[in-house]
Every structure is written in C-alpha cells, then in structure tokens.
Amino acid sequence: QVQLVESGGGLVQAGGSLRLSCAASGRTFMPYSMGWFRQAPGKEREFVSAIRWSGGSTLYADSVKGRFTISRDNAKNTVYLQMDSLKLEDTAVYYCAAALGVVRLAAESRYDYWGQGTQVTVSS
C-alpha cells in the first residue's frame, strides 16, 4: 500500500502561482510513476501531468504545457507540481496518484493509488 497526501492548494489570483506537494508513505516510492489529475466542478477528472520514477521523463496535458512543471524528490518521497500563470479554468480539485507502470500515464486506469485531493481556486 502507498498512502498519498496532497498539500499546497488554496486561493490565488489569475496569473499567480502555487506549488502542490504530494507526500507518499508506505511502500517504497521509487518504482512508482507519479501523476497529477484534476477535477473541476461538473466535469470529469482529467490528466494534468506525470513523471516516471527516475524523474527523467515527464508528460503534460496540452492545457498546462509551458505553465506547469512536475518534479519529484525520491529522497523525500514527494512529488511536486509547480503551477505558474494560473488561469480561471485551472480551478479544480487536484489529485496525485501513483502507478507501477511507465506507459500510458495519462490514463487514470494506470494508477494504483490516489490521494484525497487538494482544492485550487483561481480568482479573477
């Protein structure tokens, strides 16, 4: 079992920045690829970004490419999502997830463990 706890969400004005963190505990962190997903009110959960266990390969949704940066610190069992130039449409609950695989990381079904989510609200 892997437990995931997100933090860092909050209220920010459009154009601002936030950094989300996801701390993992339980089984060893390193073999897992990590992903971030989000769910806006009334919408389905969608892929945001993912990083393979080595940290050398990252993936982003087109909607956040160039604005968000995913990273991980395996020594701290933590993955981060730096969110810059935030837009109103980035408002959502953000979830981190862990996957044993390294392919198709944009697919929810690839993930074995999920956090409870952290709210990000972008205001005008």
Side-chain angles (χ1 to χ4, degrees), residues 26-44:
R27 295 184 63 177
T28 179
F29 181 63
M30 282 192 63
Y32 288 90
S33 298
M34 300 297 295
W36 286 96
F37 290 76
R38 67 186 181 186
Q39 186 167 22
K43 295 187 176 181
E44 293 188 351

Side-chain angles (χ1 to χ4, degrees), residues 17-76:
S17 298
L18 280 176
R19 188 175 82 154
L20 304 183
S21 299
C22 174
S25 61
R27 295 184 63 177
T28 179
F29 181 63
M30 282 192 63
Y32 288 90
S33 298
M34 300 297 295
W36 286 96
F37 290 76
R38 67 186 181 186
Q39 186 167 22
K43 295 187 176 181
E44 293 188 351
R45 189 156 56 185
E46 64 175 4
F47 170 76
V48 175
S49 183
I51 186 168
R52 292 182 176 152
W53 72 269
S54 65
S57 180
T58 58
L59 184 65
Y60 295 94
D62 287 344
S63 59
V64 306
K65 202 171 293 184
R67 300 187 297 120
F68 290 10
T69 304
I70 191 171
S71 62
R72 66 189 293 163
D73 185 338
N74 289 338
K76 295 182 178 180

Side-chain angles (χ1 to χ4, degrees), residues 46-119:
E46 64 175 4
F47 170 76
V48 175
S49 183
I51 186 168
R52 292 182 176 152
W53 72 269
S54 65
S57 180
T58 58
L59 184 65
Y60 295 94
D62 287 344
S63 59
V64 306
K65 202 171 293 184
R67 300 187 297 120
F68 290 10
T69 304
I70 191 171
S71 62
R72 66 189 293 163
D73 185 338
N74 289 338
K76 295 182 178 180
N77 290 348
T78 301
V79 63
Y80 304 97
L81 186 68
Q82 176 67 41
M83 305 186 295
D84 298 317
S85 302
L86 282 161
K87 303 177 180 180
L88 296 179
E89 53 264 41
D90 294 319
T91 294
V93 177
Y94 283 72
Y95 299 89
C96 74
L100 277 172
V102 295
V103 297
R104 297 182 58 240
L105 292 177
E108 283 192 48
S109 60
R110 295 295 297 166
Y111 292 83
D112 305 287
Y113 303 100
W114 292 83
Q116 293 299 306
T118 184
Q119 176 71 47

